[in-house]
Amino acid sequence: MKKKNNKTYRKLFYLFIFLHQMVWCQNEINHVEYSISLNKSKDNNESYYSMLIQNLDSKMKQMKFDLFFSDKVSKFSLKDSLNNPDENEIILEIAGMLGKEYYSKVNCDTVFAKNARFRKFKNRTCFSILKKDWVITSETKRINGFTCFKAFTSINKDFGDGDTVKDFNNLTAWFCPEIKSSFGTQCYNGLPGLILELEQKLVVFKAIKTDYKEESRYLTLPLKSIVSEAELYNSIYKN
């Protein structure tokens, strides 16, 4: 009788562990889906808000982006779009994106983009260095059911080829301390919580869905496709 009870307790114990793991996986957030739209809250002059950009507003509504992240690495990419490739490229350019796919490492200013900037290395992953100094405010708002805090910064961006852009963007981020991750949209990170909304000069990325994805647990940098600093230097200065 005692042995039967032990077996029963053991089965109940393993069932408890299994159910606990299922609940933990369901509650853990490691994936966010974002929408993109024109930033109509800022005063933009006519050169920015041309008729072309205004006409793309409806096209942006057909685009979605994914952020997958673990405790060490993130991947941000264009999920799907009903637009034609040329329209997508224009919108990505307006959003300041070098390509359709970004990778970031935790506590690191270096980001990696599968980009279209360097023709010789098209469809390979090149690095950029973003130096940012976030200013966190006490202003809050709710985004997709989460309380988020406002932060802002300007970006100094080094493309890795000696080309540096200062004040690349005046950025406003809304981050959620409840989600313990410092990642965010595109290549922007470094806040004490996940970025659920990012306001740029022309566009806004906003979280519309948060959930758990098994693939985020096995996320790694695409090391084989990354263009090394030496390789990039040689292509620019020795050709």
Side-chain angles (χ1 to χ4, degrees):
M1 183 72 179
K2 190 174 182 180
K3 287 185 177 180
K4 283 187 177 181
N5 286 339
N6 287 340
K7 286 183 179 180
T8 302
Y9 290 142
R10 193 177 295 117
K11 287 180 181 178
L12 289 173
F13 173 76
Y14 287 129
L15 178 62
F16 171 79
I17 294 296
F18 174 74
L19 293 174
H20 180 269
Q21 285 293 103
M22 285 187 63
V23 172
W24 178 81
C25 289
Q26 289 171 355
N27 290 338
E28 183 188 25
I29 293 172
N30 61 11
H31 167 257
V32 184
E33 183 178 314
Y34 295 87
S35 63
I36 183 174
S37 60
L38 286 178
N39 189 352
K40 298 177 181 178
S41 65
K42 293 187 178 181
D43 293 328
N44 293 285
N45 58 41
E46 292 182 2
S47 65
Y48 281 107
Y49 264 65
S50 64
M51 187 61 67
L52 171 64
I53 296 177
Q54 291 285 3
N55 289 340
L56 288 173
D57 194 20
S58 60
K59 301 293 183 182
M60 288 184 182
K61 293 175 182 177
Q62 302 181 57
M63 300 177 74
K64 298 292 183 293
F65 294 83
D66 276 322
L67 175 68
F68 295 93
F69 60 94
S70 65
D71 57 343
K72 295 180 180 179
V73 181
S74 73
K75 175 186 175 183
F76 180 81
S77 59
L78 177 63
K79 179 180 182 179
D80 52 37
S81 172
L82 299 177
N83 305 322
N84 65 54
D86 289 338
E87 290 170 336
N88 287 339
E89 291 300 323
I90 293 172
I91 292 171
L92 292 177
E93 185 173 346
I94 291 171
M97 293 182 65
L98 297 178
K100 299 177 182 178
E101 196 171 285
Y102 281 85
Y103 292 84
S104 297
K105 295 192 296 183
V106 69
N107 299 326
C108 183
D109 288 334
T110 303
V111 295
F112 305 89
K114 190 173 182 181
N115 71 91
R117 176 178 169 80
F118 308 112
R119 291 185 180 179
K120 183 174 180 179
F121 301 120
K122 201 162 186 176
N123 294 322
R124 290 186 63 189
T125 307
C126 295
F127 72 92
S128 300
I129 299 173
L130 276 76
K131 296 178 180 177
K132 48 201 175 297
D133 186 15
W134 291 104
V135 177
I136 298 174
T137 74
S138 59
E139 186 176 347
T140 64
K141 72 174 179 178
R142 300 281 289 180
I143 299 174
N144 202 37
F146 294 96
T147 299
C148 297
F149 288 80
K150 182 179 181 180
F152 58 90
T153 189
S154 293
I155 301 294
N156 290 341
K157 190 165 188 175
D158 180 353
F159 289 108
D161 60 352
D163 185 8
T164 301
V165 177
K166 292 184 178 181
D167 294 328
F168 171 72
N169 251 325
N170 291 317
L171 299 171
T172 298
W174 294 88
F175 68 96
C176 177
E178 185 180 341
I179 305 176
K180 306 296 184 183
S181 173
S182 61
F183 294 119
T185 63
Q186 289 177 268
C187 45
Y188 303 115
N189 54 29
L191 285 164
L194 190 70
I195 296 175
L196 293 186
E197 185 174 312
L198 185 79
E199 299 176 14
Q200 298 176 212
K201 176 69 176 177
L202 294 176
V203 300
V204 177
F205 289 94
K206 186 172 184 178
I208 56 175
K209 181 181 180 182
T210 56
D211 58 12
Y212 173 87
K213 296 289 186 183
E214 183 71 14
E215 60 193 276
S216 290
R217 297 180 62 191
Y218 308 103
L219 189 62
T220 59
L221 291 176
L223 296 177
K224 291 183 178 180
S225 71
I226 292 176
V227 179
S228 68
E229 187 172 357
E231 191 178 1
L232 187 59
Y233 178 88
N234 289 336
S235 72
I236 295 168
Y237 297 106
K238 294 190 177 181
N239 290 334

